[in-house]
Amino acid sequence: FARDTVCAGAAPAARRGRGPNASRMCAQLSVVMAVEMSAQPFKSFSFDGLFGLGLSSLALSPQFSFFEQLAAGGRAAPMLPQFAIYLARGDTTAAASAAGEIAIGGRNAARFEGPLAWAPVVAPQQGFWQVEVQAIRIDGVELPTCKAKGKKDGCRAILDTGTSHLGIPKRHISSFTEQLSALAPPSPGGAEEAADCRQATAPTLSIDIGSVTIELQPEDYMRPDPLAATTPKASSRKELANVAATAGQNSMCKPRLMPVSLQAPLGPNLFILGEPVLQRYYTVYDWKAQRVGFGKAKAPEAALALPDPAAPPEYPGDEAFGDDDHPEMVILMQVTLTLKLAA
């Protein structure tokens, strides 16, 4: 264990000669240090460490929680007790150039459309950004999955930036997969080019969370590449060509789902809201009020452009960051998020 000063964001005030930590969000924090790590999985990682943003009960103690230490009187600029995440899609040139963004101390209104809709955190003592799921619908038809007779039987969902799929309770995953699967669309490039399943004709998946209804389209939840249908063995080249053509016509598009097998108190009806949700929605996490805000994320080309590091610092007006009652400046910490799925 080590004790250090942890600061979020750059230090524009330092360029004005007011000291390295002036107007920065800093706190004295306990840190877990590792002097030796296994090759798997850490050798494949390009980052240097983990910055935990779960609720206080997930930390070893309050001294290990960044927001807890800020609230306890760490050296910090005036700020909202919030952080927000913009998770860009990594499948387009524009998205790759925009990368991802974490806003510490508020949110960046240039990253989402319209007002935020808020959902309260449930069971905060468990430490997760967890919300209650009232209903789930596929093409407007409500599923019996979350029709609970009591609180113990109801559904919950955890928001997780480290999950590339949607997590579905294991006992329901077959039903979800079947209902969200679809035939692969025709390939624009013919047989020479694979079809893009995100363009498939498939249902809308709706998830009711408090006053928020999350709506996911095939472009959000489908795996990009189709899966070939099972085909019989061919005994000749001509037969092989016919089989291949038939398989191409019957290729299936499958949703990005993974089973969740957790028992009480988290399970058994626990969903994980990963990339498919967090790429479509800009999410704001309110530490003090213990709530999560959702706003539809803007496309990369419409979102805020990254500043030129050589240019003088320019700050937008207070209205760009939300609450009229809290006109504090928000410092953005720019990160690149790379998610890999092992086969």
Side-chain angles (χ1 to χ4, degrees):
F1 300 119
R3 190 80 175 163
D4 204 350
T5 299
V6 178
C7 300
R15 293 194 287 269
R16 302 189 191 101
R18 292 197 289 145
N21 290 332
S23 299
R24 299 182 73 191
M25 288 172 285
C26 301
Q28 285 289 320
L29 200 65
S30 294
V31 182
V32 178
M33 310 289 288
V35 295
E36 185 177 349
M37 305 176 77
S38 61
Q40 294 296 332
F42 299 104
K43 190 175 181 179
S44 61
F45 295 156
S46 59
F47 53 78
D48 299 315
L50 299 176
F51 187 59
L53 290 171
L55 296 172
S56 298
S57 56
L58 274 188
L60 291 176
S61 72
Q63 287 72 34
F64 289 85
S65 170
F66 181 71
F67 274 94
E68 191 77 23
Q69 291 307 294
L70 284 176
R75 291 182 295 159
M79 58 172 283
L80 291 174
Q82 299 176 354
F83 66 93
I85 293 177
Y86 174 77
L87 193 61
R89 300 176 188 269
D91 51 6
T92 66
T93 302
S97 63
E101 179 183 278
I102 300 177
I104 305 289
R107 66 264 195 179
N108 184 351
R111 291 293 195 187
F112 63 94
E113 300 173 358
L116 292 171
W118 295 91
V121 170
V122 296
Q125 72 278 5
Q126 294 175 354
F128 300 100
W129 292 101
Q130 183 177 189
V131 292
E132 184 177 354
V133 178
Q134 278 85 25
I136 297 179
R137 297 183 301 281
I138 294 181
D139 261 359
V141 179
E142 185 175 352
L143 306 182
T145 311
C146 297
K147 289 185 176 180
K149 296 180 181 179
K151 289 186 177 180
K152 292 184 179 180
D153 302 317
C155 292
R156 293 177 178 177
I158 291 176
L159 289 98
D160 184 13
T161 59
T163 300
S164 59
H165 287 39
L166 279 176
I168 307 294
K170 186 175 180 180
R171 59 181 174 175
H172 299 301
I173 194 166
S174 295
S175 174
F176 274 75
T177 300
E178 181 180 351
Q179 294 184 72
L180 294 176
S181 296
L183 286 173
S187 172
E192 300 295 325
E193 185 178 326
D196 186 345
C197 281
R198 291 164 296 188
Q199 305 302 318
T201 301
T204 297
L205 175 63
S206 304
I207 306 172
D208 289 346
I209 299 174
S211 62
V212 185
T213 295
I214 293 173
E215 291 196 342
L216 302 178
Q217 304 300 330
E219 64 187 74
D220 303 309
Y221 65 74
M222 277 296 186
R223 299 171 184 265
D225 299 323
L227 300 175
T230 303
T231 57
K233 294 182 179 180
S235 58
S236 68
R237 291 194 176 187
K238 182 177 180 181
E239 206 171 303
L240 181 61
N242 290 335
V243 167
T246 302
Q249 293 171 3
N250 296 328
S251 293
M252 293 295 296
C253 293
K254 298 289 185 179
R256 289 189 290 163
L257 306 180
M258 69 176 192
V260 178
S261 304
L262 290 174
Q263 299 305 312
L266 286 175
N269 292 330
L270 181 71
F271 292 79
I272 305 293
L273 305 183
E275 261 189 33
V277 171
L278 299 177
Q279 288 179 337
R280 184 170 180 83
Y281 289 88
Y282 185 86
T283 47
V284 181
Y285 304 81
D286 192 317
W287 185 271
K288 185 176 181 180
Q290 295 191 336
R291 58 180 184 166
V292 181
F294 296 82
K296 189 175 179 181
K298 287 186 177 180
E301 57 272 15
L304 183 68
L306 300 181
D308 180 358
E314 295 182 3
Y315 299 108
D318 297 328
E319 68 278 4
F321 299 106
D323 290 6
D324 294 334
D325 295 333
H326 301 85
E328 293 84 3
M329 181 54 59
V330 174
I331 298 175
L332 299 179
M333 181 172 63
Q334 190 68 31
V335 298
T336 298
L337 303 177
T338 303
L339 302 175
K340 295 182 179 180
L341 177 65

